[in-house]
Amino acid sequence: MKKWQLWTPGILILFAAGLNMAGRVWKGFSDFYVDNIFPLWVETYGRITGIFPFSVGEWMLYLAVILVFILLAAGIILIVCLALRRRVPSVTPSPVIPSSGLSAFKKLYGGYAFFLYWVLGIVSVIMMLNCFLLYQVSPITERYEIGGNPDKVYGTEEIAALRDYVVEQANALAPSFERDEKGYIIYKEDIREKARQEMRRLGGTFENLQGYYPKPKGLCLSGFYSQQSIMGYYFPFSMEANYNRQMYITNMPVSMCHELSHLKGFILEDEANFLGFLACVDSRDELFRYSAYLSVIGYLDRDFIRAIGEDGELYAAHPQIDEQVAKDKKFLTKESWEQVERKAVLKTETVKRAADAFLDTNLTLNGVSDGTVSYSRVVRLLLRYYDGKLY
């Protein structure tokens, strides 16, 4: 094998690192990329993976786990064989570990390891182009006019007004739905197609949201993702928006729109939460509007309580969240949770703890200093958006 062939995967990794450095040092580089080059990937590669009815990215992820497992297992076997070989005198034939077989195995293992080295180089570039570089893009508040004064500090009065508005809207919508005998909402329309339509509509306001959208795809192993409290996933290496098939229906519209916004370069979770909310809140479909309000009602109620302290009387003086709204603000139904736990290979607590640590580390390494707490920063964006409308 020639030297340049050995170095090429490493060059790809260095190229990916160089892109990341360029994005961190020169903000205009990332902005230009997300506006002019990134859309090409979903318009081309995204259309190809969109043909498949299943999540290509999900199965690519599982394949990667298998490939790494084979590498480690084969490596252990090779080390053991080499150790045993050293214990056998060279003049004594070894029927158990013949030299020719061991030599062939070493060569095969080396070739397999080099193949994975190539895969690592390619994946590094893809992840940088479709994910990590997007973290260096200018905030949505700098790229678009979303209302409000960027220098204004919002206080208790504004938080209370926004919180009360969302609570009232959710309370008003709760009785509107057809429900089954357990009180669960019945919805017969195609949520996935409607999510695409709503995102295209929002593209009239946010230029980067224009263009092609593949249909969101349900995760095959949704139970495993339920254990991580994950509602959706954006797979950069397949340009797909995925959603948890087992979560309660009120989560689906806003979660699908959230993941679709990632396909348009909005990688920050607070911005994706904001765009998912906007895509649903102005929809003619009641479930989509309800999903929007439920997606932020918890953040707003929590921030309102923080703002007023332990003043129970003041809290009681404001609109209260209806019991039905509180019931609909669930991740999974009782029956779905029972199914998840029944089929779980690992304990939910263990899976959740590992997933939280991984996600928090990933966000922090990409410059999101507050990690998973950044999801709740959507409140700041909503306060600006409703400035002049509610207060």
Side-chain angles (χ1 to χ4, degrees):
M1 187 176 295
K2 297 180 179 179
K3 288 185 177 180
W4 67 268
Q5 292 176 309
L6 293 171
W7 276 99
T8 303
I11 292 173
L12 290 177
I13 296 173
L14 291 175
F15 174 67
L19 287 175
N20 193 7
M21 184 65 67
R24 290 175 182 270
V25 174
W26 178 24
K27 207 70 168 181
F29 175 77
S30 299
D31 290 349
F32 175 83
Y33 172 76
V34 80
D35 290 338
N36 300 281
I37 301 176
F38 180 74
L40 298 176
W41 309 143
V42 71
E43 292 286 350
T44 54
Y45 183 44
R47 288 181 182 271
I48 296 173
T49 56
I51 296 173
F52 297 91
F54 56 89
S55 174
V56 176
E58 182 183 9
W59 288 103
M60 289 173 71
L61 188 64
Y62 302 149
L63 176 61
V65 173
I66 294 172
L67 291 176
V68 171
F69 175 79
I70 292 174
L71 178 71
L72 296 176
I76 293 173
I77 293 173
L78 180 59
I79 292 172
V80 171
C81 289
L82 289 172
L84 291 175
R85 186 69 186 176
R86 290 194 196 98
R87 292 186 178 185
V88 179
S90 57
V91 296
T92 304
S94 174
V96 179
I97 313 174
S99 299
S100 58
L102 185 58
S103 178
F105 184 63
K106 285 174 62 178
K107 186 176 181 180
L108 180 63
Y109 182 78
Y112 180 73
F114 185 66
F115 163 73
L116 291 190
Y117 183 32
W118 259 105
V119 172
L120 176 63
I122 295 172
V123 169
S124 296
V125 174
I126 292 176
M127 288 296 293
M128 186 57 62
L129 292 175
N130 294 350
C131 183
F132 300 146
L133 192 59
L134 305 182
Y135 282 100
Q136 315 308 324
V137 175
S138 297
I140 191 173
T141 52
E142 294 180 12
R143 299 163 62 199
Y144 292 98
E145 177 59 49
I146 65 171
N149 185 341
D151 299 321
K152 183 175 180 179
V153 177
Y154 296 97
T156 304
E157 182 179 348
E158 291 84 5
I159 293 175
L162 179 55
R163 178 261 180 200
D164 292 352
Y165 171 75
V166 169
V167 169
E168 289 170 350
Q169 295 300 312
N171 289 348
L173 282 168
S176 306
F177 304 102
E178 179 183 358
R179 298 176 183 269
D180 62 17
E181 65 281 359
K182 296 179 181 178
Y184 301 152
I185 293 175
I186 298 174
Y187 188 81
K188 300 177 181 178
E189 297 188 42
D190 187 345
I191 299 180
R192 298 187 302 162
E193 181 56 40
K194 193 172 290 292
R196 298 169 74 195
Q197 294 172 5
E198 299 299 349
M199 291 300 293
R200 284 194 289 264
R201 175 186 55 77
L202 193 59
T205 303
F206 298 90
E207 185 179 355
N208 287 69
L209 294 179
Q210 296 175 2
Y212 169 75
Y213 284 96
K215 266 194 175 184
K217 297 178 179 180
L219 291 161
C220 180
L221 299 185
S222 287
F224 177 66
Y225 293 95
S226 294
Q227 289 183 285
Q228 304 171 54
S229 298
I230 288 177
M231 296 183 180
Y233 232 116
Y234 159 59
F235 287 121
F237 35 84
S238 63
M239 294 304 291
E240 293 174 303
N242 301 264
Y243 66 95
N244 187 329
R245 294 180 296 108
Q246 289 188 299
M247 64 183 174
Y248 188 50
I249 194 170
T250 54
N251 300 298
M252 290 190 176
V254 76
S255 294
M256 291 181 188
C257 293
H258 172 115
E259 300 306 327
L260 287 172
S261 71
H262 288 324
L263 290 174
K264 296 301 180 178
F266 295 92
I267 200 67
L268 295 178
E269 295 301 334
D270 55 322
E271 294 184 1
N273 280 346
F274 178 63
L275 293 173
F277 174 86
L278 293 185
C280 294
V281 78
D282 291 329
S283 174
R284 294 182 179 180
D285 189 285
E286 290 183 336
L287 178 64
F288 273 66
R289 296 201 302 276
Y290 194 43
S291 180
Y293 293 125
L294 291 184
S295 72
V296 299
I297 199 170
Y299 295 138
L300 288 167
D301 196 51
R302 183 200 61 197
D303 284 3
F304 175 59
I305 293 173
R306 284 180 178 175
I308 64 175
E310 298 181 1
D311 193 336
E313 290 185 7
L314 179 57
Y315 182 83
H318 286 261
Q320 301 299 294
I321 300 174
D322 282 355
E323 182 181 354
Q324 185 60 64
V325 173
K327 289 181 179 179
D328 288 334
K329 175 64 178 152
K330 62 166 68 76
F331 176 39
L332 266 65
T333 63
K334 177 183 176 183
E335 292 78 10
S336 293
W337 267 124
E338 290 175 349
Q339 183 180 10
V340 168
E341 295 295 346
R342 188 167 58 251
K343 295 183 178 180
V345 177
L346 300 172
K347 290 184 178 181
T348 296
E349 183 179 334
T350 302
V351 174
K352 182 68 165 60
R353 187 164 51 247
D356 287 347
F358 171 79
L359 182 57
D360 197 68
T361 301
N362 178 59
L363 291 171
T364 303
L365 289 175
N366 281 287
V368 184
S369 58
D370 49 357
T372 52
V373 178
S374 64
Y375 283 70
S376 63
R377 289 208 307 255
V378 66
V379 172
R380 302 180 196 175
L381 295 173
L382 291 173
L383 285 168
R384 282 191 59 176
Y385 178 76
Y386 281 101
D387 193 350
K389 300 180 177 73
L390 298 178
Y391 36 83

